[in-house]
């Protein structure tokens, strides 16, 4: 009988998801200091996030396929040590171009985190528990956002933003040593059939994956546009438009992280109960539109209450989309290809992550305020609803729950 995975493994997977974004969340939380210290524009600052996620997008499909072939230990080293390297380079950055190098280095570590953790779950966790595990491990990203929102501003007041970044590298390496000790024994990867009672979905001609995988990837792209645009510019928005302090701006980002942790677990439980992915994605998209509208109104009317409402909706809705998408993809591809399929979705997600902050930064420079940026974010979320409706219609036609 196979030994059931321990809670320590779930903690490792959660950390594997959370450690990769430490650099981008840390940069966001200390954005006013970085912009002033390096004498850069808001658009140049947005380009840092673009570099991180463009690097992740370009490497996602290759790393997704790689994750189906190399050991879990090797993948964990890529995630944690790769992040630590990026943080060290960032800590040494006294020029903008060095920080850009650090951003490029951070991308692949994030790109492989979803394929790695999904692969470990599908080979070590019983099917009925997988959505719950996915919800918890995906919450690591928002746990990282919470940690960064509190850690980086506080440490920056003591050590400067570069010292805070270097200290974060030490945290990443400590987590690596812990994770390597807690990984289960490697299981052989097979091309076994999908779970009993359900045939493998047919591959799309010339693509090798069901259409649902590409629809999930499209949703990941559109939601990623607004998700990272909000994550990157929220602290700066609170400081400039609402007069928040640097610490309070970091707390705003942290609050969305707290809500995001809870929401990802709750959305994972809904998937475990059998609620269709398309149904949840429709609800999440509608809620995200309302969140963007609240942030727009907060800046327009100078209303902190609307800011906190927008932060809460951001955490409760759009930050939960990855759980639904990742749990959904496990239902439409065989176990032996889950890493490669996750790589496709990650490519879409990181392409959105790269595009959102770049365009929002350009809009901020062109208009001088955040209003156009929030309209851009809300429009992307509205298109998510449209795509989820198409996914639901496609699922109804094919008979495969989506």
């Amino acid at each position: 009988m196979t030994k059931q995975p321990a809670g320590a493994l779930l903690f490792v997977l959660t950390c594997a998801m959370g450690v990769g974004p430490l650099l981008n969340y840390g940069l966001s939380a200390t954005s006013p200091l970085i912009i002033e210290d390096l004498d850069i524009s808001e658009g140049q600052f947005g380009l840092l996030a673009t570099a991180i996620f463009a690097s992740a997008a370009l490497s996602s499909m290759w790393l997704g396929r790689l994750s189906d072939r190399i050991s879990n230990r090797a993948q964990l080293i890529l995630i944690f040590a790769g992040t630590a390297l990026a943080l060290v380079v960032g800590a040494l950055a006294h020029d903008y171009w060095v920080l850009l190098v650090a951003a490029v280095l951070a991308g692949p570590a994030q790109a492989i985190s979803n394929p790695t953790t999904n692969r470990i779950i599908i080979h070590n966790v019983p099917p009925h528990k997988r959505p719950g595990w996915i919800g918890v491990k995906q919450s690591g990203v928002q746990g990282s956002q919470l940690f960064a929102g509190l850690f980086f501003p506080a440490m920056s007041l003591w050590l400067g933003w570069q010292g805070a970044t270097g200290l974060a590298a030490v945290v990443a390496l400590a987590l690596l040593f812990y994770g390597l000790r807690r990984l289960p024994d490697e299981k052989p990867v097979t091309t076994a059939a999908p779970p009993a009672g359900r045939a493998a979905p047919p591959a799309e001609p010339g693509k090798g994956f069901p259409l649902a995988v590409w629809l999930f990837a499209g949703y990941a792209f559109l939601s990623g546009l607004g998700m990272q645009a909000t994550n990157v510019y929220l602290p700066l928005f609170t400081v400039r438009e609402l007069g928040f302090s640097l610490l309070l701006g970091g707390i705003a980002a942290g609050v969305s992280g707290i809500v995001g942790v809870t929401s990802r677990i709750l959305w994972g439980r809904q998937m475990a109960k059998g609620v269709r992915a398309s149904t949840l994605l429709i609800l999440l998209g509608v809620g995200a539109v309302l969140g963007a509208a609240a942030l727009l109104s907060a800046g327009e009317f100078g209303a902190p209450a609307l800011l906190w409402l927008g932060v809460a909706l951001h955490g409760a809705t759009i930050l939960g989309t990855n759980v639904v998408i990742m749990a959904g993809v496990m239902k439409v591809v065989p176990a032996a290809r889950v890493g490669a399929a996750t790589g496709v979705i990650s490519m879409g997600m990181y392409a959105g992550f790269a595009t959102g902050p770049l365009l929002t930064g350009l809009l901020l420079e062109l208009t001088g305020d955040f209003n156009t940026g929030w309209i851009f974010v809300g429009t992307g979320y509205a298109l998510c609803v449209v795509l989820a409706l198409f996914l639901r219609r496609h699922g109804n036609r094919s008979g495969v729950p989506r």
Side-chain angles (χ1 to χ4, degrees), residues 20 54 68 73 103 114 124 146 159 161 179 194 207 224 230 237 278 313 315 356 373 399:
D68 287 326
R73 293 178 66 85
N114 267 308
N124 291 278
L146 170 61
L159 301 170
W161 67 268
K207 291 187 171 66
T230 303
F237 172 70
S278 57
L313 285 171

Side-chain angles (χ1 to χ4, degrees), residues 167-246:
L167 197 55
V170 176
V171 174
L173 290 176
L175 291 173
L176 170 61
F177 288 120
Y178 177 84
L180 291 175
R181 295 178 60 187
R182 296 295 179 174
L183 277 182
D185 293 335
E186 203 73 27
K187 293 187 177 184
V189 180
T190 68
T191 54
R198 177 170 61 84
E204 294 295 317
K207 291 187 171 66
F209 293 111
L211 177 60
V213 171
W214 301 97
L215 293 175
F216 282 137
Y219 194 104
F221 171 76
L222 291 170
S223 62
L225 284 173
M227 184 189 302
Q228 280 307 321
T230 303
N231 288 342
V232 168
Y233 283 104
L234 180 62
L236 187 63
F237 172 70
T238 63
V239 171
R240 292 202 176 174
E241 299 294 320
L242 297 172
F244 284 18
S245 67
L246 180 65

Side-chain angles (χ1 to χ4, degrees), residues 12 29-30 66 85 162 168 177 197 218 247 261 278 288 302 336 348 352 371 374 377:
V12 171
T30 55
L66 182 68
L85 174 62
Q162 291 163 314
F177 288 120
L247 282 176
V261 168
S278 57
N371 291 351
W374 295 132
V377 167

Side-chain angles (χ1 to χ4, degrees), residues 325-394:
I325 291 172
M326 295 304 170
V329 77
M330 288 190 182
K331 294 185 177 182
V332 297
V333 295
R337 301 205 65 201
V338 72
T342 303
V344 171
I345 292 169
S346 295
M347 179 186 67
M349 177 178 69
Y350 287 119
F353 285 1
T355 307
L358 175 63
L359 293 181
T360 303
L362 292 175
L363 290 171
L364 178 58
E365 285 194 350
L366 288 173
T367 63
D369 61 46
F370 287 84
N371 291 351
T372 310
W374 295 132
I375 293 171
F376 162 70
V377 167
T379 301
Y381 294 156
L383 292 174
C384 284
V385 177
V386 174
L387 198 58
L389 289 169
F390 185 80
L391 176 67
R392 184 176 184 83
R393 183 179 180 186
H394 171 66

